[in-house]
Amino acid sequence: MKDEPLWTGALLLFPGRIAENLARVEESGLVPQAPNLVQISLGVIRMWVRLVKRPETIGTCREHHVRPTLRARLLAYRPLRFPFLLRERAIAPLDFSGLASSRERVLRHLLGAHHDANQFAYDLELLGIHPGALEELCERARRVVNGEDPHAEWLRDLVVFEGYHEDLLAAVEHALANGVRLAPHEADDPDISFTGYLRWCARMPATWGEAIGALARGEIDLGAYRHAAGMV
């Protein structure tokens, strides 16, 4: 990492943590070859483009209604929700890959930040590089669903939409029993699948010299626009 240019650190912010988690990816065998920091940097740029061009794919829901509580109705307004997500450590706004986040931060993210449809898959795959993390998530989600967690009602309102924790519990139970659920069209989608994101990154140029030229020539599809059928 000493030889990486300054802009790698500027893009990734915590390249040391990301390198540690990429080593865990290698150890887990999650993908045939983990991308390097340059390639992850391009993945971060792709996430920036998604946030700017397709914000409707983050933190919203098409399948469930907003919970009827006053708190949930207020938090449905995303700018108002943002500081509460920060306080709960349910989001890491500067970590656009998830690879700079600790195991606990990813757990809090899944329990407190809304994921639509099968967007759980990305973070469930990411948690899989931490031994025992999926089992812990299953127990914590079950406690929210059963009302045993003293913060259960707050977490339910923070994710805004009805049925979220029930869907999360079902997804993590399936992941433990059968692996993370991914439809064929989702497996290579960097928006939905962590392994899809890693494979996308691994296909990118491996050095900044190659990457800058490819970006300048418009040869890298940063996902600014998606067909309706492929959106999440």
Side-chain angles (χ1 to χ4, degrees):
M1 287 186 298
K2 292 180 180 178
D3 297 329
E4 292 290 340
L6 291 177
W7 57 78
T8 302
L11 284 167
L12 301 180
L13 294 180
F14 307 105
R17 294 184 203 168
I18 290 174
E20 289 173 7
N21 277 325
L22 285 175
R24 292 188 177 96
V25 167
E26 290 272 14
E27 292 169 7
S28 72
L30 196 59
V31 290
Q33 180 177 354
N36 65 23
L37 292 181
V38 173
Q39 293 166 321
I40 292 294
S41 297
L42 293 170
V44 166
I45 293 172
R46 185 188 186 281
M47 290 291 194
W48 287 356
V49 171
R50 178 186 177 190
L51 184 64
V52 172
K53 293 289 189 179
R54 298 184 289 119
E56 73 283 354
T57 67
I58 302 170
T60 60
C61 183
R62 297 177 296 171
E63 297 186 355
H64 299 293
H65 296 294
V66 173
R67 283 169 55 80
T69 64
L70 175 61
R71 188 164 57 185
R73 294 201 305 271
L74 290 172
L75 292 173
Y77 182 57
R78 283 186 290 176
L80 181 60
R81 198 187 326 167
F82 182 78
F84 295 100
L85 289 169
L86 281 178
R87 188 186 68 176
E88 193 65 33
R89 294 178 61 224
I91 57 172
L94 301 179
D95 179 14
F96 282 84
S97 67
L99 284 162
S101 291
S102 67
R103 163 185 168 143
E104 177 62 19
R105 178 61 69 94
V106 180
L107 287 165
R108 285 174 172 263
H109 176 64
L110 279 162
L111 289 165
H114 178 75
H115 294 68
D116 194 22
N118 197 30
Q119 289 178 348
F120 299 122
Y122 188 104
D123 295 298
L124 292 177
E125 289 184 301
L126 176 56
L127 269 185
I129 70 174
H130 300 283
L134 288 173
E135 289 83 356
E136 181 179 351
L137 175 63
C138 189
E139 177 58 26
R140 288 167 71 166
R142 186 176 290 115
R143 286 174 57 81
V144 174
V145 169
N146 294 340
E148 297 171 0
D149 188 312
H151 304 294
E153 285 305 303
W154 163 241
L155 289 171
R156 284 185 176 279
D157 284 342
L158 185 61
V159 300
V160 175
F161 298 98
E162 291 280 18
Y164 174 84
H165 289 95
E166 287 79 3
D167 289 348
L168 173 61
L169 180 58
V172 70
E173 286 176 340
H174 186 281
L176 286 168
N178 304 296
V180 175
R181 182 189 290 113
L182 284 164
H185 71 278
E186 295 173 330
D188 279 321
D189 188 335
D191 284 357
I192 300 176
S193 167
F194 178 58
T195 51
Y197 175 79
L198 291 172
R199 286 193 292 267
W200 184 93
C201 291
R203 293 194 296 270
M204 295 300 106
T207 68
W208 277 117
E210 297 171 310
I212 291 171
L215 285 169
R217 293 188 298 270
E219 294 174 355
I220 298 178
D221 179 7
L222 294 173
Y225 304 102
R226 303 285 293 280
H227 296 297
M231 290 185 64
V232 295

